[in-house]
Amino acid sequence: MKDQTIAIHAGYTKDAHGTMAVPIYQSTAYEFRDAEHAANLFALKELGNIYTRLMNPTTDVFEKRFAALEGGIAGVGTASGMSAIFYAIANVAETGDNIIVAKQVYGGTTTLTGHTIKRFGIQARYFDVKNPSELEGLIDDKTKLILFESITNPSIDVPDFKAIFDIADKHGVISCVDNTVATPILCKPLALGCDIVVHSASKYTTGQGLAIGGVIVEREDLVSKIKGNARYAHFNEPDASYHGLVYSDIPLPLFTLRVRLSLLRDLGAAPSPFNSWLYIQGLETLALRMRQHSSSALAIAEFLENHPKVKKVNYPGLPNDPNYAMAQRYLRGGESGLLSFEVEDAETAKQIANGLNIFKLVVNIGDSKSIVTHPASTTHQQLSEQELIDAGIPGGLIRLSVGLEDAGDLIADLKQALGR
Ligand code: PLP
């Protein structure tokens, strides 16, 4: 089935009332048939609803639909993109372990990996996403995850996925792609050889800036990489917190199941049913929207490329862009709505941001409403000078999230702001 059909039907047929639209199951808990049923659900002898921190029927549709769009076997929803990333890390790494992260990632991912998880004894090592061979020198027997973004935010690089996955596979390390900017419409990391995909559902999924959320999707047969792999002993040994359950022994998708049974159970960053319902509404039009975001962003990138005040434009749809070849290889149907461009200095960048009318000065992306951000003073403000350089964020960089307004109107807005 094609994405547009999956996005409208996967994970739901009808409920007991024949309800056409997916209902919002706004409930904290679920009544058991009897005590034996309750015990069976807790023991995983039967699958079913227990408590909304662990699962919810509306969230279940979202998880199944998103997993189907990514071409994965199962998904688990989270309360935010950051909790999805944190759970993906916490599901594999513990004190003494390390993970390898691209230097070019969202600022929150840099602070999570560089500071917060360090306090839990997990070290982050960084590689230049444009130079995957650096990974070879960073992997050791304590490496648990390789994490990068499919289209990097805000440097707008498109990595060589295959080169990264080949190295991850050679060492038996789980690879994880944050596919937020590309979305499963433009990029399918699991089909390219990735193990786990994470998302901020707060962006293109709702598409209108309506709700914070996240999702983790796992590929089919991830068990074959984990089973008997000494790196992932906790998947292969009895889990004392779940009656000695050995995750790699059960016939269920093990990565997302462990997130649910262990991390959602104990840390609890679960999505609200209403937010899951909003994501479901958003997914129905995702493919249509991504085409429009991409074509408008390309038109704007072409305009900016020819403007005398613009030193550089980063958009992988431009044939002159250094990422063009990778975008042609790994993306399909467009390059998404995110672009960045560089002007003289931070002061000029701020003046341009202040001069825009349709583009709103907001720290978000993936909205129907166009957004301008000055990353160095906002989303990436907590990064050190070196981290800013590594992430490809000079002071004069402006990020645009191109919305669904008329592209001509957006270009006119940029023209007047740049002209000042
Ligand atoms: N990943 C990327 C690429 C992002 O751009 C963001 C937020 O901007 C996140 C993750 C974090 O997502 P959330 O804001 O839903 O926690």
Side-chain angles (χ1 to χ4, degrees):
M1 255 194 281
K2 296 276 193 286
D3 285 345
Q4 187 53 36
T5 312
I6 293 171
I8 291 180
H9 294 290
Y12 183 75
T13 42
K14 58 180 184 237
D15 69 358
H17 306 288
T19 314
M20 181 73 171
V22 178
I24 307 172
Y25 288 96
Q26 191 68 48
S27 180
T28 302
Y30 309 87
E31 188 181 346
F32 306 117
R33 285 192 307 273
D34 52 32
E36 195 187 345
H37 178 221
N40 282 345
L41 292 182
F42 274 88
L44 299 179
K45 286 183 186 154
E46 245 181 273
L47 296 181
N49 296 311
I50 297 174
Y51 192 68
T52 282
R53 174 153 36 80
L54 300 171
M55 74 284 279
N56 169 276
T58 309
T59 300
D60 181 60
V61 175
F62 166 63
E63 292 167 341
K64 289 198 166 89
R65 197 163 287 186
F66 209 105
L69 272 175
E70 282 287 4
I73 189 148
V76 58
T78 57
S80 67
M82 288 318 301
S83 50
I85 297 169
F86 176 62
Y87 284 2
I89 296 168
N91 210 28
V92 289
E94 59 188 31
T95 305
D97 290 338
N98 66 74
I99 61 165
I100 306 180
V101 186
K103 284 177 184 165
Q104 301 89 340
V105 282
Y106 165 61
T109 306
T110 305
T111 48
L112 167 69
T113 55
H115 299 279
T116 301
I117 63 169
K118 195 159 132 190
R119 294 180 50 237
F120 302 154
I122 302 166
Q123 185 200 28
R125 301 173 175 179
Y126 294 95
F127 77 109
D128 182 351
V129 85
K130 289 179 271 188
N131 189 6
S133 62
E134 285 183 12
L135 287 167
E136 287 287 2
L138 296 172
I139 295 173
D140 63 19
D141 60 357
K142 291 285 186 190
T143 303
K144 299 298 166 86
L145 195 75
I146 296 173
L147 170 66
F148 65 99
E149 294 174 0
S150 47
I151 299 179
T152 66
N153 174 13
S155 60
I156 330 285
D157 290 306
V158 180
D160 187 346
F161 291 73
K162 288 248 188 226
I164 298 173
F165 299 147
D166 283 351
I167 297 172
D169 288 346
K170 184 175 133 195
H171 294 274
V173 177
I174 293 176
S175 55
C176 178
V177 166
D178 180 338
N179 200 25
T180 299
V181 176
T183 80
I185 302 302
L186 306 181
C187 182
K188 305 252 191 233
L190 301 182
L192 296 169
C194 179
D195 296 318
I196 300 290
V197 165
V198 290
H199 273 269
S200 166
S202 326
K203 315 297 178 189
Y204 290 108
T205 305
T206 77
Q208 293 173 301
L210 297 178
I212 297 285
V215 61
I216 303 173
V217 176
E218 96 180 76
R219 76 163 162 90
E220 208 175 344
D221 197 34
L222 182 57
V223 67
S224 64
K225 192 170 202 173
I226 290 178
K227 182 112 183 135
N229 184 341
R231 280 186 202 281
Y232 303 107
H234 59 296
F235 278 95
N236 289 300
E237 290 166 359
D239 180 352
S241 81
Y242 217 101
H243 315 307
L245 178 73
V246 178
Y247 283 93
S248 62
D249 279 351
I250 49 175
L252 291 170
L254 72 176
F255 193 95
T256 44
L257 185 71
R258 191 173 183 282
V259 168
R260 198 181 294 287
L261 295 187
S262 172
L263 299 171
L264 280 181
R265 178 194 63 186
D266 299 344
L267 303 175
S272 77
F274 181 68
N275 284 1
S276 296
W277 182 81
L278 289 173
Y279 311 142
I280 291 166
Q281 309 317 305
L283 285 181
E284 292 199 355
T285 55
L286 183 63
L288 305 172
R289 288 185 284 110
M290 291 318 292
R291 278 201 283 279
Q292 186 61 50
H293 281 293
S294 301
S295 71
S296 294
L298 180 60
I300 288 171
E302 284 165 351
F303 159 75
L304 290 169
E305 203 181 25
N306 293 310
H307 196 285
K309 274 202 184 162
V310 175
K311 285 166 58 181
K312 188 173 170 226
V313 181
N314 303 308
Y315 189 67
L318 291 174
N320 291 334
D321 190 278
N323 291 287
Y324 184 75
M326 289 300 158
Q328 293 295 304
R329 192 178 305 169
Y330 295 124
L331 308 181
R332 46 171 214 185
E335 292 79 23
S336 192
L338 205 61
L339 64 91
S340 59
F341 65 100
E342 212 181 315
V343 292
E344 193 55 37
D345 51 25
E347 220 27 64
T348 316
K350 284 186 197 163
Q351 270 168 23
I352 293 166
N354 286 339
L356 286 162
N357 295 318
I358 302 177
F359 284 88
K360 304 298 179 200
L361 192 55
V362 170
V363 285
N364 193 18
I365 59 170
D367 197 316
S368 54
K369 300 163 277 297
S370 288
I371 288 170
V372 58
T373 308
H374 180 232
S377 64
T378 56
T379 48
H380 292 68
Q381 189 196 67
Q382 277 91 33
L383 270 58
S384 68
E385 222 162 277
Q386 187 56 47
E387 283 172 331
L388 282 173
I389 294 166
D390 287 345
I393 305 169
L397 191 80
I398 296 173
R399 184 185 72 191
L400 299 180
S401 171
V402 177
L404 297 177
E405 302 93 340
D406 178 78
D409 288 340
L410 295 175
I411 289 172
D413 194 24
L414 282 161
K415 207 181 263 179
Q416 63 79 25
L418 280 158
R420 286 174 171 215

